[in-house]
Amino acid sequence: MNDTPPSFPPNTLAAFTALYPDEKPSWLGRPQALRLSDAEFATVGLELIDGKVMLHLSQDCPFDEISPAFLAIFVQKLAELCPDVPVAYIPGYGHPIVATLPLEVPADASVEAWTAAIVSTIPRLEEALSHQREGAERFRDDDDVRWDSAWPEVSVTPDELTEIGQLEDESALERERLDRQELERVSTSLLSRLGRLKVIKPDRPWVRCLRFHELHSGFWSGVYVERFTASQLVVTLNAIYQGNLYNTTLVNRACGDRLFARISARARELATGSDPINVA
């Protein structure tokens, strides 16, 4: 069995470090998979993901302080302004707002080819991030969903409730007792399981639902899902799953605060008709 971790293709790092020699420590602790370099008011990153070389450019968020849920909504507004370049809030990249594109270069390409690919891709990343101020204005002006808006009604079958009831958290530890590696493992597993639920409908606009005051701006420890209806459980799961595309800490935080375990318990109550809130 070969346990050797994957590494960048030959000549990739030579091109990258020649362009960006001011290397920063990798938060992953795996220099063969992620390299970061300082670029004045930004950070440039090179990452190996599923065998593909990805180029990152990260910059600061225009908000001095913003909650986890509202941060996801803001980044979605930014994403609408640059649909060809994925953007997300990703901690650990030097600056929090990260634009990413693949480098479409053969693995055995020359240093010159990798250099040309990086040089031609950086402007596209810069263009995407240049819309941050406009994205912030869209976020502030968006009155489509407010904190006191009515929740959408979603039909939920008993089988779907049973499925949600099986989503249970993999760890019974409290957030402060989870080290980062364990929390990341649990979060990755839960994200994958969420994506397989029948109630997850990625084609609908769920991120806006993160505004609802019952979701406490993404501070999940204050969310009382014990009082939620089946429809609210489904809306919450969809909002977190879709919102995690834009703020990659939402699922991580939900795992740390055992939100999925509490959602599972509530779904089991509703599925079995043992709802203590709405008993006749």
Side-chain angles (χ1 to χ4, degrees):
M1 181 177 178
N2 185 8
D3 292 328
T4 302
S7 58
F8 289 108
N11 299 324
T12 309
L13 291 180
F16 182 74
T17 55
L19 289 168
Y20 303 103
D22 192 3
E23 184 176 350
K24 302 175 70 169
S26 165
W27 67 278
L28 287 179
R30 293 187 288 112
Q32 74 277 6
L34 175 64
R35 289 294 183 94
L36 299 176
S37 289
D38 184 68
E40 295 188 21
F41 300 107
T43 297
V44 182
L46 200 68
E47 187 170 10
L48 195 62
I49 301 177
D50 297 329
K52 293 184 177 181
V53 179
M54 312 298 288
L55 186 66
H56 304 292
L57 182 67
S58 63
Q59 294 178 353
D60 284 335
C61 179
F63 293 94
D64 292 330
E65 185 175 348
I66 188 170
S67 71
F70 282 19
L71 183 56
I73 299 170
F74 155 65
V75 180
Q76 188 196 40
K77 298 296 182 186
L78 173 61
E80 291 171 352
L81 294 167
C82 52
D84 297 329
V85 179
V87 290
Y89 170 83
I90 309 175
Y93 283 77
H95 300 268
I97 309 301
V98 184
T100 303
L101 282 172
L103 294 177
E104 305 290 355
V105 181
D108 59 353
S110 65
V111 173
E112 291 76 16
W114 282 107
T115 300
I118 294 170
V119 169
S120 64
T121 303
I122 284 291
R124 295 178 60 195
L125 301 178
E126 290 175 335
E127 170 64 19
L129 294 177
S130 72
H131 294 290
Q132 284 204 71
R133 291 292 175 185
E134 187 180 350
E137 291 173 3
R138 286 193 175 196
F139 168 78
R140 294 188 183 101
D141 295 340
D142 183 12
D143 289 325
D144 189 33
V145 174
R146 306 303 299 171
W147 70 276
D148 57 350
S149 297
W151 285 59
E153 284 295 326
V154 180
S155 61
V156 188
T157 68
D159 286 346
E160 288 169 341
L161 275 175
T162 299
E163 189 180 31
I164 295 171
Q166 296 170 349
L167 187 64
E168 179 73 53
D169 226 294
E170 290 187 16
S171 174
L173 300 176
E174 296 297 327
R175 183 184 182 95
E176 57 269 21
R177 294 177 58 194
L178 286 170
D179 62 34
R180 189 170 76 176
Q181 185 175 4
E182 173 68 7
L183 188 56
E184 289 292 339
R185 185 191 67 79
V186 173
S187 300
T188 300
S189 175
L190 262 296
L191 185 61
S192 177
R193 294 174 67 190
L194 266 177
R196 295 196 296 269
L197 290 180
K198 296 184 182 69
V199 297
I200 297 297
K201 310 293 184 184
D203 56 330
R204 293 184 57 179
W206 301 105
V207 177
R208 64 182 64 180
C209 299
L210 291 169
R211 283 189 184 269
F212 294 147
H213 73 91
E214 292 92 343
L215 294 183
H216 279 243
S217 301
F219 297 109
W220 308 124
S221 60
V223 177
Y224 297 105
V225 297
E226 295 79 8
R227 294 181 174 271
F228 279 15
T229 65
S231 177
Q232 286 175 314
L233 292 182
V234 170
V235 171
T236 299
L237 288 173
N238 274 282
I240 293 173
Y241 182 77
Q242 192 176 86
N244 199 75
L245 293 171
Y246 306 104
N247 178 356
T248 62
T249 72
L250 289 186
V251 169
N252 183 301
R253 286 173 173 272
C255 289
D257 288 325
R258 302 211 64 226
L259 181 68
F260 296 120
R262 293 186 281 126
I263 286 176
S264 295
R266 178 58 173 160
R268 290 194 294 272
E269 286 179 347
L270 295 170
T272 59
S274 57
D275 178 6
I277 306 299
N278 299 305
V279 291

